[in-house]
Amino acid sequence: MKTKVNTRSMVLMGFLAALTAVFSFTPIGSVPIGPLVITLNIIPVALAAIACGPIGGAVMGAVFGTLSFLQCIGIGIPSGMGAILFEISPFLAFVQRFVPRVLDGFLLGFIFRFISKRTSPYISCFVTGLLSAILNTAFFMTALIALFGKTDYVQGLMDEKGTHNVFLFICMFVGVNALCEMAASSVVSGAVGSALFKAKLIDMPSGNK
């Protein structure tokens, strides 16, 4: 039985990794708005965390982060911001693209387990999808400010928004994008996660069977 569950998880993770690649290499998963894009790659990360826990979420976050970094050098859907950050520092650009996504997926696994013990797994799927978008934006922008906040590029973006208050700048910079990602991630992750539970393709969390 244990082998069967592990095999099922591996197949699901493989499918989600392939879906993440499709989202990264085709226009399906990226909707550009200004220097940022609305990304659907946070959805496979949320689903991996739901189905396979913190480790599964972290692994899918690593896949997302790696593909996001490759977009900085024109592999997949190009990222204008990523290209500029790569010119400033390839290493810091990798850290800024990779670490927030791994941390997002890892924490989502714990978040889903915590919430699912207190409510139905179906509601937990919607909440996990919502938090996937929130955490992705929060970690991404925090890393941007921490690693590149003193650069002319980010200072110029702050000048464009008319503020050098970090919190206000983040809210103004990601406002529409963040809301769209939250809506898409919560609805799709909730619907797909619930369907996987109903189809018994992933097990109910302990205490909810």
Side-chain angles (χ1 to χ4, degrees):
M1 181 64 182
K2 188 174 182 180
T3 302
K4 184 182 295 185
V5 172
N6 289 339
T7 301
R8 186 196 309 164
S9 298
M10 290 176 61
V11 171
L12 179 60
M13 290 290 289
F15 171 77
L16 291 175
L19 183 62
T20 303
V22 170
F23 284 163
S24 297
F25 294 144
T26 70
I28 296 175
S30 301
V31 181
I33 297 180
L36 294 177
V37 297
I38 296 172
T39 178
L40 300 183
N41 276 330
I42 53 177
I43 296 173
V45 176
L47 292 174
I50 289 168
C52 303
I55 299 302
V59 169
M60 199 54 54
V63 173
F64 176 21
T66 300
L67 294 174
S68 178
F69 174 70
L70 292 178
Q71 290 176 322
C72 297
I73 56 177
I75 299 176
I77 302 299
S79 168
M81 172 184 282
I84 294 173
L85 298 182
F86 183 85
E87 288 183 2
I88 297 172
S89 171
F91 174 73
L92 292 182
F94 175 78
V95 172
Q96 192 263 340
R97 295 276 158 159
F98 185 81
V99 174
R101 276 61 190 261
V102 174
L103 184 59
D104 183 19
F106 184 69
L107 291 180
L108 287 175
F110 287 108
I111 288 170
F112 176 77
R113 287 181 178 178
F114 177 82
I115 298 174
S116 63
K117 291 179 180 179
R118 290 156 177 79
T119 184
S120 73
Y122 309 117
I123 294 176
S124 301
C125 289
F126 283 95
V127 175
T128 301
L130 174 64
L131 291 176
S132 178
I134 293 174
L135 292 178
N136 177 67
T137 298
F139 293 155
F140 180 91
M141 291 303 297
T142 298
L144 176 67
I145 297 300
L147 298 175
F148 295 96
K150 299 299 184 181
T151 64
D152 291 339
Y153 173 63
V154 173
Q155 289 295 310
L157 292 176
M158 288 183 171
D159 289 338
E160 288 179 9
K161 296 299 180 182
T163 180
H164 281 258
N165 179 286
V166 172
F167 179 76
L168 184 59
F169 166 70
I170 291 175
C171 291
M172 295 173 64
F173 193 65
V174 304
V176 175
N177 302 65
L179 291 175
C180 291
E181 285 186 355
M182 289 177 200
S185 183
S186 59
V187 171
V188 177
S189 298
V192 174
S194 298
L196 290 173
F197 279 118
K198 290 179 180 179
K200 300 185 185 302
L201 293 176
I202 54 179
D203 295 327
M204 290 284 187
S206 59
N208 284 285
K209 295 182 180 180

